[in-house]
């Protein structure tokens, strides 16, 4: 568990600001799934975040990190989805409206980036409408076709496929391999995936 602020906690009603003083970030547990589901889907209607079913959140709860006050009030969440050593994606990063602007979102993102580093992932990507927030953390805007894994995972089934208003961003070197679907990266630039050799073959 990582302490992100030391000042005293001051919780208040949802209509006023909640101080994230003393808040912590930690890996999510299954009982967090309901809070994650409610918060993520509160911003899925306008396309700010991808809609997640409760079942999907439970299944992938180990991807999630949550921020909460020292007294255990849920403040926000974010997830790191692993495609492989070449790429991970920050997904569903969100802080409750009343807790915004007090560092919780940044702490969540840093924690996810640390997790990517611990997993020896070389590049972290995301799609967003607020690139300015992610510039703070070393992301840069890239052409979305450089991220075939992301396109294959989400974009092809997205109703906004041909009207997407998000920008693709990456932190780290662009992946040279793809593990999902047909790659759009030019063949000569692709590095062959190491496949396990079967004894005797
Ligand atoms: C984006 C979001 C998670 C940021 O959380 P937050 O707790 O308000 O952010 P922080 O207080 O940790 O801010 C960290 C830094 O980013 C900056 N920042 C925060 N929101 C920003 C934004 N929308 N645009 C540009 N910079 C932003 C802050 O000024 C701060 O900069 P500083 O370190 O120089 O002071 C939050 O605004 C949110 O939940 N937004 C709605 C969901 C969303 O759009 N998620 C992204 C989907 S890809």
């Amino acid at each position: 568990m990582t302490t992100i602020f030391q000042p005293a906690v001051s919780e208040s009603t949802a209509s006023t600001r909640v101080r994230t003083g003393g808040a912590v970030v930690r890996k999510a547990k299954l009982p967090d799934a309901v809070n994650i589901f409610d918060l993520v889907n509160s911003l899925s209607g306008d396309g700010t975040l991808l809609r997640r079913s409760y079942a999907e959140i439970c299944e992938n709860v180990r991807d999630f990190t949550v921020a909460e006050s020292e007294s255990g009030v849920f403040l926000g969440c974010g997830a790191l989805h692993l495609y492989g050593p070449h790429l991970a994606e920050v997904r569903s990063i969100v802080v409750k409206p009343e807790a915004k602007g007090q560092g919780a979102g940044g702490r969540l993102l840093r924690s996810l980036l640390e997790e990517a580093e611990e997993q020896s992932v070389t590049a972290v990507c995301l799609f967003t409408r607020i690139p300015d927030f992610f510039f703070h953390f070393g992301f840069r805007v890239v052409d979305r076709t450089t991220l075939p894994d992301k396109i294959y995972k989400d974009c092809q089934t997205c109703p906004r496929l041909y009207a997407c208003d998000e920008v693709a961003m990456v932190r780290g070197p662009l992946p040279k391999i793809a593990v999902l679907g047909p790659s759009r990266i030019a063949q000569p630039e692709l590095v062959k995936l190491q496949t396990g050799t079967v004894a005797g073959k």
Side-chain angles (χ1 to χ4, degrees):
M1 191 180 287
T2 312
T3 302
I4 67 172
F5 272 126
Q6 291 309 325
V9 181
S10 165
E11 298 295 348
S12 58
T13 64
S15 60
T16 58
R17 291 181 80 76
V18 173
R19 289 195 188 189
T20 59
V24 293
V25 291
R26 61 163 174 81
K27 288 300 290 175
K29 299 277 185 195
L30 264 178
D32 298 309
V34 169
N35 285 331
I36 294 171
F37 173 79
D38 286 344
L39 185 57
V40 169
N41 290 319
S42 71
L43 290 182
S44 65
D46 69 355
T48 299
L49 297 175
L50 282 178
R51 181 163 182 81
R52 304 274 181 225
S53 71
Y54 179 68
E56 188 189 354
I57 288 168
C58 290
E59 189 181 344
N60 297 292
V61 75
R62 283 167 291 203
D63 284 359
F64 279 87
T65 292
V66 295
E68 63 185 11
S69 71
E70 276 189 347
S71 57
V73 175
F74 175 82
L75 300 172
C77 63
L80 186 77
H81 174 76
L82 300 178
Y83 290 96
H86 63 298
L87 187 66
E89 180 189 353
V90 170
R91 300 162 75 91
S92 305
I93 184 163
V94 56
V95 168
K96 281 173 141 180
E98 61 271 25
K100 276 186 185 178
Q102 299 173 65
R107 299 297 170 151
L108 279 167
L109 183 54
R110 273 189 213 99
S111 177
L112 298 174
L113 294 175
E114 279 169 20
E115 193 180 336
E117 206 171 313
E118 282 162 17
Q119 293 285 353
S120 302
V121 174
T122 51
V124 179
C125 74
L126 54 90
F127 275 29
T128 187
R129 289 173 173 167
I130 51 166
D132 287 351
F133 172 68
F134 295 99
F135 286 141
H136 283 267
F137 300 91
F139 286 83
R140 66 189 185 283
V141 173
V142 296
D143 189 306
R144 70 190 54 211
T145 59
T146 61
L147 301 168
D149 281 332
K150 165 65 178 170
I151 290 173
Y152 198 75
K153 178 168 177 56
D154 292 319
C155 301
Q156 286 186 336
T157 52
C158 178
R160 291 187 170 85
L161 177 59
Y162 297 110
C164 181
D165 58 0
E166 296 192 320
V167 294
M169 301 187 85
V170 165
R171 187 179 191 269
L174 283 179
K176 292 194 170 179
I177 61 170
V179 293
L180 297 180
S183 168
R184 291 189 194 168
I185 298 177
Q187 199 62 30
E189 291 173 26
L190 283 173
V191 174
K192 290 271 183 289
L193 268 179
Q194 289 283 355
T195 49
T197 49
V198 181
K201 293 208 171 175

